[in-house]
């Protein structure tokens, strides 16, 4: 099942159900006005939403071409971003001169959650010299997660999967890292692809708490990376258990995978510019690739083995804010 949010005058938009091929939609207001209200009472909402989804597969619904989609959750109670791909971590350690994390402990920070940009919105940022970078990720949306949940138990709390562009300002990151506290200036709002999907939409490409699909990233119309999501050192269920170790997680918590990265990065490319710069430092002794300029575009998409576009596409331009 695919769910989406149509923009309106309300901050949380209107919940709709989308056909599997992404071409048609039906309103879900008879069930829940918003995705947040649906996830708040998922046990009640899901069966009725699936009835609407069945109608879409029988040819009902309006064309998505006429719809203006927001992020699935235009704002969320909580956004927790991991860094679960070890090859990415190693390259960032090269770029920033940081130490690796303790063995067996995932990296995670709590980020800005009151705003998520739509997949096609221009991204306003103040300065090019801040080191504008995209970061392609997968993510999950949970229902309520009790404190102390195990990784095995956490699997049942993954209700939806999403695709994220976690924007970063790389020139500001080292400054904030030295404070020993979390990101603030270096992490503006994220962007999210239009469709949030239930795990069954992925078939056998969803296993072990991981999305076993490539995330294609194009910068200014040129392929930049095609790394696979299955290489996470920690699966999403393990990230949830880590986050919930000493506190519960509210329904609607979004947890990100961190930049999708594979160890054969020289062959398949990267999901962020900083990683490319880390590779250049390893291979050539210095970084050559510049960060984004105003007017640059980035496109991200994930396709199922049959070629179907799973989450819709993120396709954005960076503009002066």
């Amino acid at each position: 099942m695919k769910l989406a949010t149509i923009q309106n005058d309300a901050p949380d938009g209107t919940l709709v159900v989308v056909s599997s091929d992404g071409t048609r939609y039906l309103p879900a207001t008879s069930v829940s006005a918003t995705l947040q209200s649906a996830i708040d009472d998922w046990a009640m909402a899901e069966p009725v939403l699936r009835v609407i989804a069945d109608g879409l597969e029988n040819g009902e619904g309006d064309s998505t071409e006429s719809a203006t989609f927001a992020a699935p959750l235009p704002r969320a109670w909580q956004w927790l971003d991991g860094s679960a791909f070890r090859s990415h971590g190693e390259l960032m350690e090269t770029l920033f001169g940081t130490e690796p994390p303790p063995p067996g402990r995932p990296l995670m920070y709590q980020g800005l959650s009151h705003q998520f940009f739509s997949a096609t919105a221009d991204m306003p940022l103040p300065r090019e010299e801040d080191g504008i970078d995209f970061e392609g990720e997968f993510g999950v949306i949970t229902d309520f997660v009790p404190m102390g949940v195990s990784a095995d138990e956490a699997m049942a709390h993954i209700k939806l999967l999403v695709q994220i562009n976690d924007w970063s300002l790389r020139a500001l990151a080292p400054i904030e890292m030295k404070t020993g506290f979390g990101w603030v200036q270096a992490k503006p709002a994220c962007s999210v692809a239009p469709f949030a999907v239930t795990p069954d939409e992925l078939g056998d490409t969803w296993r072990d708490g991981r999305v076993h699909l490539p995330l294609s990233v194009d910068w200014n119309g040129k392929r930049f990376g095609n790394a696979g999501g299955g290489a996470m050192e920690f699966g999403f269920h393990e990230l949830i258990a880590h986050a919930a170790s000493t506190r519960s997680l509210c329904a609607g918590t979004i947890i990100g995978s961190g930049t999708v990265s594979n160890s054969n990065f020289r062959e398949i490319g990267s999901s962020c510019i900083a990683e490319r710069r880390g590779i250049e430092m390893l291979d050539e002794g210095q970084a050559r690739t510049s960060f984004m300029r105003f007017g640059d575009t980035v496109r991200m998409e994930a396709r199922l083995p049959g070629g179907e576009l799973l989450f819709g596409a993120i396709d954005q331009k960076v503009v002066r804010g």
Side-chain angles (χ1 to χ4, degrees), residues 25-103:
Y25 74 92
L26 284 169
T29 49
S30 61
V31 185
S32 299
T34 67
L35 181 55
Q36 180 61 55
S37 61
I39 206 76
D40 279 335
D41 194 2
W42 189 249
M44 179 282 296
E46 182 187 17
V48 190
L49 292 171
R50 287 194 180 275
V51 172
I52 299 173
D54 290 341
L56 285 161
E57 300 316 310
N58 292 327
E60 300 176 23
D62 298 321
S63 171
T64 53
E65 292 183 2
S66 62
T68 302
F69 291 110
L73 281 174
R75 56 182 180 169
W77 289 109
Q78 187 163 226
W79 156 238
L80 302 171
D81 196 20
S83 183
F85 292 86
R86 190 67 204 116
S87 57
H88 175 76
E90 290 169 351
L91 288 169
M92 293 303 96
E93 290 154 20
T94 297
L95 188 64
F96 295 117
T98 55
E99 294 295 320

Side-chain angles (χ1 to χ4, degrees), residues 36 38-43 46 78 140-146 149 153-160 240 244 248-255:
Q36 180 61 55
I39 206 76
D40 279 335
D41 194 2
W42 189 249
E46 182 187 17
Q78 187 163 226
V140 298
I141 301 176
T142 73
D143 64 0
F144 174 80
V145 181
V149 70
E153 292 166 339
M155 285 293 292
H157 294 283
I158 298 172
K159 301 306 180 184
L160 295 166
I240 293 169
S248 62
L249 307 181
C250 60
T253 293
I254 308 173
I255 294 183

Side-chain angles (χ1 to χ4, degrees), residues 39-303:
I39 206 76
D40 279 335
D41 194 2
W42 189 249
M44 179 282 296
E46 182 187 17
V48 190
L49 292 171
R50 287 194 180 275
V51 172
I52 299 173
D54 290 341
L56 285 161
E57 300 316 310
N58 292 327
E60 300 176 23
D62 298 321
S63 171
T64 53
E65 292 183 2
S66 62
T68 302
F69 291 110
L73 281 174
R75 56 182 180 169
W77 289 109
Q78 187 163 226
W79 156 238
L80 302 171
D81 196 20
S83 183
F85 292 86
R86 190 67 204 116
S87 57
H88 175 76
E90 290 169 351
L91 288 169
M92 293 303 96
E93 290 154 20
T94 297
L95 188 64
F96 295 117
T98 55
E99 294 295 320
R105 185 177 181 86
L107 290 172
M108 183 175 287
Y109 75 94
Q110 185 156 1
L112 181 160
S113 64
H114 73 271
Q115 179 185 32
F116 289 89
F117 279 82
S118 77
T120 56
D122 288 347
M123 185 63 192
L125 292 167
R127 296 171 295 273
E128 290 180 343
E129 55 266 32
D130 288 340
I132 303 169
D133 199 358
F134 49 81
E135 288 193 65
E137 305 190 10
F138 294 115
V140 298
I141 301 176
T142 73
D143 64 0
F144 174 80
V145 181
M147 181 174 64
V149 70
S150 70
D152 287 343
E153 292 166 339
M155 285 293 292
H157 294 283
I158 298 172
K159 301 306 180 184
L160 295 166
L161 291 99
V162 290
Q163 177 191 307
I164 301 166
N165 182 4
D166 176 34
W167 293 96
S168 290
L169 301 176
R170 300 297 189 183
L172 302 178
I175 299 169
E176 292 196 300
M177 289 168 69
K178 290 178 181 178
T179 69
F181 274 41
W183 309 109
V184 177
Q185 294 179 338
K187 285 292 186 179
C190 299
S191 307
V192 188
F195 307 141
V197 308
T198 50
D200 58 285
E201 285 286 325
L202 280 74
D204 63 5
T205 64
W206 170 249
R207 58 185 188 275
D208 305 322
R210 295 163 171 84
V211 178
H212 291 264
L213 290 172
L215 180 60
S216 298
V217 179
D218 296 339
W219 180 14
N220 291 331
K222 184 177 179 181
R223 180 55 46 87
F224 192 79
N226 198 42
M232 292 172 72
E233 182 179 9
F234 301 95
F236 280 111
H237 56 312
E238 294 166 309
L239 295 179
I240 293 169
H242 172 77
S245 176
T246 58
R247 56 175 170 170
S248 62
L249 307 181
C250 60
T253 293
I254 308 173
I255 294 183
S257 66
T259 304
V260 177
S261 176
N262 296 165
S263 58
N264 59 337
F265 40 69
R266 291 180 181 84
E267 302 165 28
I268 61 171
S270 300
S271 301
C272 71
I273 300 170
E275 186 168 301
R276 172 73 63 82
R277 289 168 60 88
I279 296 167
E280 291 167 349
M281 289 178 67
L282 286 174
D283 292 351
E284 305 171 36
Q286 62 179 354
R288 294 183 296 99
T289 301
S290 300
F291 290 110
M292 298 183 82
R293 305 289 187 186
F294 295 136
D296 280 6
T297 60
V298 61
R299 180 182 174 90
M300 300 177 181
E301 63 178 42
R303 292 184 180 270

